[in-house]
């Protein structure tokens, strides 16, 4: 971003963006396509949501609604709150986060460590007035000097990806990108990146990746947003409604991914490749592989590596939790080491 000089990052916010593209070699070999992931887990707050956090806060500053000593209030499943808390610290604002009480405890702990006030509220549907997003909006309106970031319907979120993520992908691939695949929570990433890419090349395929228990797959494939059978252990993605950020986005195809396929993908990338990803990245990678199969070999598919696995140790990387949900972790079938066929004595001698 603007403050980066000769590779030196001079502030928290100038460290946001300009993430590398990683070629997922196992998946690329499996499909005969180039599968590339935008390494958003390398943002300084650890996720794709740092970009939206910065753009939304800047927008409130520009409008004059947010001034030194002010407060940023948000309803968030976690990563947006983490991004906002970092930016608030760097720019001198207080931060209050409303969060459904179904999210991983790691995210709550991180938010509190970052200095945010976290208000965990019962997870109720959006139509309910006690929904975490609506509570955040009402509270911000009642507090002098406070703004509601409003990531779902504030299109500064999508603008972040139109102005940064999309152009970065176009530059990094030198325009050689056949498809962009992403799961959506607010829709900001998919909506912003797709608008930019489609302006450069009309026939870039935009593919939604959707977990079970979300209404967006049916919205793309039938035009009606009706909920699919859930639930899903994924966090931060899937939605029951089409947000202002997502509305009007041209989406060519949609892939629905089960939790079991996501779990297998995340464990395989960790245990055979060394990459440690969270659940939405697992959904994105499964959908990228499916897109590669639909397009055929020789194409280049870009997706998003939204965050790392560190925040999901108590759930996605906890076998007891997975078993409760009827899910199985993937384990490598390691071939017997040559030494295993030796007698104990021979093995000792061979060391
Ligand atoms: N992955 C994770 C881990 C997230 O927290 C989010 C945001 N809620 C997303 C993906 C989806 O991003 P977006 O809100 O831009 O659709």
């Amino acid at each position: 971003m603007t403050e980066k000089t000769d590779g030196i990052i001079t502030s928290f916010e100038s460290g946001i963006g300009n993430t590398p593209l990683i070629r997922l070699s196992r998946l690329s070999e499996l499909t005969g396509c180039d599968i590339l992931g935008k390494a958003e887990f390398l943002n300084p707050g650890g996720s794709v949501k740092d970009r939206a956090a910065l753009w939304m806060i800047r927008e409130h500053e520009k409008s004059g609604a947010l001034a030194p000593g002010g407060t940023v209030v948000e309803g968030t499943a976690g990563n947006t709150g983490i991004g906002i808390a970092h930016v608030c610290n760097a720019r001198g604002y207080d931060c209050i986060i409303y969060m459904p009480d179904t999210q991983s405890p790691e995210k709550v702990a991180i938010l509190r460590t970052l200095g945010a006030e976290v208000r965990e509220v019962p997870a109720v549907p959006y139509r309910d007035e006690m929904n975490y997003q609506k509570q955040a909006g009402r509270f911000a309106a009642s507090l002098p000097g406070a703004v509601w970031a409003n990531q779902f319907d504030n299109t500064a979120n999508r603008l972040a990806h139109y102005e940064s993520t999309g152009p970065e992908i176009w530059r990094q691939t030198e325009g050689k990108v056949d498809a962009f695949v992403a799961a959506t929570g607010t829709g900001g990433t998919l909506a912003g990146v797709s608008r930019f890419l489609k302006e450069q090349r009309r026939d870039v395929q935009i593919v939604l990746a959707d977990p079970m228990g979300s209404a967006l797959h049916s919205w793309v494939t039938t035009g009606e947003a009706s909920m699919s059978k859930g639930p899903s252990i994924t966090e931060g993605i899937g939605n029951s409604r089409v947000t202002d950020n997502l509305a009007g986005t041209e989406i060519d195809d949609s892939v629905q991914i089960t939790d079991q396929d996501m779990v297998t993908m995340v464990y395989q990338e960790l245990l055979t490749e060394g990459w440690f990803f969270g659940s939405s990245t697992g959904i994105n990678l499964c959908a990228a592989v499916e897109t590669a199969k639909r397009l055929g070999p020789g194409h280049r598919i870009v997706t998003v590596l939204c965050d790392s696995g560190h925040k999901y140790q108590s759930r996605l990387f906890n076998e007891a939790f997975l078993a409760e949900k009827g899910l199985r972790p993937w384990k490598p079938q390691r071939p017997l080491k040559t030494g295993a066929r030796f007698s104990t004595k021979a093995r000792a001698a061979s060391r």
Side-chain angles (χ1 to χ4, degrees), residues 48-49 79 161 183-189 235-237 280 306-307 312:
V48 65
K49 300 302 302 200
N79 279 323
H161 299 284
T184 87
T186 65
T189 312
E235 293 179 40
I237 55 168
S280 63
C306 311
D307 66 358
Y312 306 99

Side-chain angles (χ1 to χ4, degrees), residues 184-211:
T184 87
T186 65
T189 312
L190 188 75
V193 171
S194 65
R195 274 173 174 73
F196 182 84
L197 293 181
K198 287 263 189 197
E199 278 175 14
Q200 314 311 309
R201 196 183 135 184
R202 282 295 314 149
D203 65 344
V204 175
Q205 293 293 295
I206 302 301
V207 182
L208 171 85
D210 214 25

